[in-house]
Amino acid sequence: MTQQKTAFITGITGQDGSFLADLLLDKGYHVVGLARRSTNYDYPNIRHLIGRVTLEYGDLIDSDCLNNLIARYQPDEVYNIAAQSVPADSWNQPIVTAEVTALGTLRMLEAARRHKPDARFYQATSREIFGGVEQEVCDENTPFFANNPYGIAKQYAHQMMMNYRDSYGMFACGGILFNHESERRSLHFVTRKVTMAAACIKLGVEHPPLNEIGEALVQQGRVKIGNLDAVRDWGYAREYVEAMWLMLQHDKPQDYVIATNTIYTVRDLCRAAFDCVGLNWEDHVVSDERFMRPTEIAASRGDYSRAKAELGWQPRTSFKALVELMVEADLRLLSAR
Ligand code: NAP
């Protein structure tokens, strides 16, 4: 009988961490998840997993806690998914972003190096490390050109992970993931804001959820968002966590771009979401300066050829299907309230 593997996931309460936990449980892993102590203990993304995963309270700013947990659980695989993950917030919270997203990764690498150096280590890198690079298509050889505090913190974390791989021979991989979304995406991101707003407006919801600055998401039948011309390469998060696992099963630790190699604008997103509920997006979406980024990233798409060739990974869900599944999930969620 093969021995059950243990995986340690930071950020298990988030979108990716929760999907990854689903995947690893299906594969028979013992999953240990790091969750921040919360005042309301309401973890919507992992409510269905309570009792099936081991939850440990802790924080990426606390190296003692991370050292103790890695020493205690001796995980075969470590997935460092946690971060201050919202690029737009990183201008207002540059210190927290550096502390958690950059130094938090270093603390996790150190904990693994000291207490379980043969653990396979996944680092949640972001396409934001390419920032303003003027390349239509980015791959693993594209130079780093981060242009916001979040991207710069992720670049530090990624390069530190590479350094631990080179210096100590650790099996460490960086997944350079382009944007990926789902019904578990937080309302701090434009995709979920738009799908939730379309669902609220369609159903005539009286008390919509709050947006990232604490205002009602929908006011007078309208949702306020930032730059309609912003361009992203959007995929489905449930598929992207499969790539994380595949990276750690490969015989060689490497970095991989995970993307769809297609791009759409925020305007396309609005059109697709409001089409799903039979409404004209132009009647319901307003661009508001307050949600604009001070610097925008380049309109690049991701070339996932290496992941396809070496891991057998490729995206399966189209942009239209992704938006539809998110709107449908929001309609169900609001109807059940
Ligand atoms: P998410 O839903 O915002 O999840 C972030 C997770 O990090 C949450 O579980 C959060 O806990 C946790 N966290 C935040 N600060 C922490 C701290 N100080 N200590 C411990 N945990 C902390 O993000 P996601 O979309 O799943 O993204 C997962 C990772 O991939 C992140 O590192 C993100 O930066 C990166 N990434 C995401 C994308 C994307 O498009 N989704 C693309 C590229 C890279 P709480 O629930 O307590 O807040």
Side-chain angles (χ1 to χ4, degrees), residues 178-191:
F178 279 59
N179 293 62
H180 46 283
E181 317 296 316
S182 75
E183 62 278 26
R184 296 187 193 171
R185 190 60 143 152
S186 103
L187 275 172
H188 285 245
F189 292 89
V190 66
T191 44

Side-chain angles (χ1 to χ4, degrees), residues 13-16 36 59-60 81 83 85 150 154 177 180 185:
T13 55
Q15 170 186 264
D16 291 6
R36 285 196 287 185
D59 200 297
L60 282 195
I81 311 283
S85 64
Y150 167 84
K154 280 287 183 190
L177 271 53
H180 46 283
R185 190 60 143 152

